Amino acid sequence: MEEVVKIVQELKSGKTKPIYFLQGEEPYYIDRLADFIQHDILNDLEKEFNLTVLYGKDVSAEDIVSQAKRFPMMADKQVVIVKEAQDLAKQMDKLENYFTNPQPTTLLVFCYKYGTLDKRKKVAKLITQNGVLFESKKIRDYQLSAWIKKTVAEKSFTIDTKAADMLAEFLGNDLNKINNELEKLMLVVPKGVTITPIDIEKNIGFSKDFNVFELRKAIAQRNETKSFQIVDYFANNPKENPVQKILPQVISFFIQTLQYHGLANKSSASVAQTLKINEYFVKDYSEAASYFPMKKISAIISGLREIDLKSKGVESNNIPSGELYKEMLIKIFR
């Protein structure tokens, strides 16, 4: 994220601000910036007297102001970090006076996760005027694979497209979780060697042959035998492949295939941009469209949505996942 890089570069160059309000739905970048400020602004000796970490549920706005107004000891700056600052949401207005005239020798950092301040309010305007108001936005699903590749490249590794997409599909858009798994991989894969689906299968536990990518590919090719083999594997490994997670991805695949039918420009680049997918997977949609006409796809989507409701206990309870998977494939292939 370019804004994160910019803030870190400014901090490294000594261009610090008295307030850093880190907010938003994506905790990964909030944690990354807060960790950098906590560990890299002060040296080890300075931290002994000038680093304070507070938690929103344990302090009041008055406590924070009192701590922030202290002068540093044997250092040019002190750092005060307020973690879980969202617990102070109802007290933010009490900080207006401090935000109007913040202590120049204090870096006051707020980690305000899973929400944002109303930018129209005075408190947000004061932070913007006298500090940094940073919003960490959730990354979109179709951007995850590219994010994984970029993150890996920053650490002098490479990862192939299928491996990146496997991680994105199985871990979702929890960047902290993805980063943790990447850290594990980079401990066992030598630098200069591309991370592959085999590495993921060995070290993280996702099967390179029995996953939602292979299922969608088998469905796109109308390969019934392979499709049933994959869902049998899913049914026997429900913890790693819950039907409530797999079904929506299959539904999404058919919705996008329906969109593919309606595209005037079916070049790989255009399809990838329109459907917000990696070009690597365009072939799957092209093959699916050749086997499934629009009318059939509409019926499939309707049928799969009914099964999805069953999987969530609507009008039925405790149906084994194996039965739901088989019903899904029958709806698709019959």
Side-chain angles (χ1 to χ4, degrees):
M1 192 173 183
E2 292 181 5
E3 192 175 355
V4 174
V5 174
K6 181 182 177 183
I7 292 172
V8 170
Q9 288 175 340
E10 289 177 348
L11 287 165
K12 285 181 176 179
S13 69
K15 297 177 182 177
T16 60
K17 301 280 188 177
I19 307 164
Y20 289 87
F21 199 96
L22 314 176
Q23 62 177 356
E25 295 296 327
E26 178 49 68
Y28 175 79
Y29 291 112
I30 295 173
D31 291 338
R32 183 175 170 183
L33 284 170
D35 287 346
F36 180 84
I37 294 171
Q38 180 172 344
H39 298 294
D40 291 81
I41 296 299
L42 304 174
N43 63 39
D44 289 342
L45 180 60
E46 291 171 338
K47 288 175 189 175
E48 291 290 329
F49 302 100
N50 300 289
L51 174 62
T52 304
V53 178
L54 307 171
Y55 289 85
K57 66 178 180 180
D58 299 326
V59 296
S60 65
E62 291 80 8
D63 295 331
I64 295 168
V65 171
S66 176
Q67 187 66 45
K69 284 188 174 181
R70 288 177 56 243
F71 287 98
M73 294 180 63
M74 297 180 290
D76 295 328
K77 303 281 184 183
Q78 73 153 336
V79 173
V80 178
I81 300 176
V82 184
K83 296 190 175 183
E84 309 302 334
Q86 63 273 15
D87 290 330
L88 291 162
K90 294 181 180 179
Q91 297 188 54
M92 281 298 153
D93 289 346
K94 296 180 181 179
L95 293 165
E96 284 183 7
N97 286 338
Y98 181 82
F99 290 156
T100 301
N101 187 27
Q103 184 78 1
T105 55
T106 295
L107 272 72
L108 177 58
V109 183
F110 292 86
C111 300
Y112 192 100
K113 296 179 178 179
Y114 314 114
T116 58
L117 297 178
D118 186 338
K119 291 182 180 179
R120 298 169 297 180
K121 288 195 171 183
K122 183 178 179 180
V123 65
K125 293 177 180 178
L126 287 170
I127 295 169
T128 302
Q129 180 180 329
N130 295 316
V132 173
L133 182 62
F134 167 77
E135 182 176 355
S136 182
K137 297 180 180 179
K138 272 287 185 185
I139 190 170
R140 297 182 182 275
D141 290 345
Y142 69 89
Q143 298 172 318
L144 283 171
S145 182
W147 184 89
I148 290 169
K149 288 184 175 182
K150 183 177 179 182
T151 301
V152 166
E154 288 173 354
K155 299 175 183 179
S156 303
F157 285 83
T158 56
I159 184 169
D160 75 18
T161 298
K162 184 175 179 180
D165 280 305
M166 282 177 66
L167 285 173
E169 286 287 348
F170 282 101
L171 297 175
N173 63 352
D174 184 334
L175 299 190
N176 275 322
K177 190 174 182 180
I178 293 174
N179 188 65
N180 289 340
E181 296 299 339
L182 289 174
E183 294 285 354
K184 293 178 189 177
L185 282 169
M186 289 183 282
L187 287 174
V188 296
V189 177
K191 285 188 178 181
V193 176
T194 299
I195 297 169
T196 68
I198 294 175
D199 295 314
I200 292 173
E201 182 174 26
K202 285 181 179 178
N203 299 289
I204 298 181
F206 306 147
S207 171
K208 67 181 177 61
D209 297 314
F210 298 95
N211 56 65
V212 71
F213 297 110
E214 296 302 321
L215 175 61
R216 297 196 308 198
K217 184 175 181 180
I219 290 171
Q221 297 171 345
R222 279 198 80 96
N223 187 334
E224 295 187 33
T225 300
K226 181 66 180 292
S227 297
F228 276 97
Q229 288 175 343
I230 293 172
V231 298
D232 281 343
Y233 175 86
F234 287 169
N236 290 324
N237 297 273
K239 187 176 179 180
E240 293 80 14
N241 306 281
V243 66
Q244 294 85 357
K245 180 179 179 181
I246 301 296
L247 263 168
Q249 294 184 56
V250 176
I251 293 170
S252 175
F253 176 73
F254 277 106
I255 290 173
Q256 289 175 307
T257 303
L258 191 63
Q259 292 174 319
Y260 177 91
H261 268 294
L263 296 178
N265 184 349
K266 289 185 170 62
S267 67
S268 291
S270 178
V271 171
Q273 183 178 13
T274 304
L275 298 187
K276 294 182 170 54
I277 60 172
N278 193 295
E279 278 194 58
Y280 178 87
F281 295 106
V282 170
K283 183 180 178 183
D284 292 343
Y285 294 91
S286 174
E287 288 184 318
S290 69
Y291 286 114
F292 299 97
M294 295 179 75
K295 186 175 180 180
K296 173 62 176 175
I297 292 176
S298 296
I300 288 171
I301 292 170
S302 178
L304 295 188
R305 281 178 170 156
E306 291 177 6
I307 300 171
D308 187 42
L309 289 174
K310 289 181 185 178
S311 76
K312 296 169 182 173
V314 178
E315 297 183 0
S316 60
N317 290 305
N318 301 319
I319 300 177
S321 60
E323 290 185 21
L324 292 171
Y325 279 127
K326 288 175 183 177
E327 185 180 352
M328 175 188 78
L329 292 183
I330 290 170
K331 294 280 187 185
I332 291 170
F333 293 126
R334 300 294 185 264

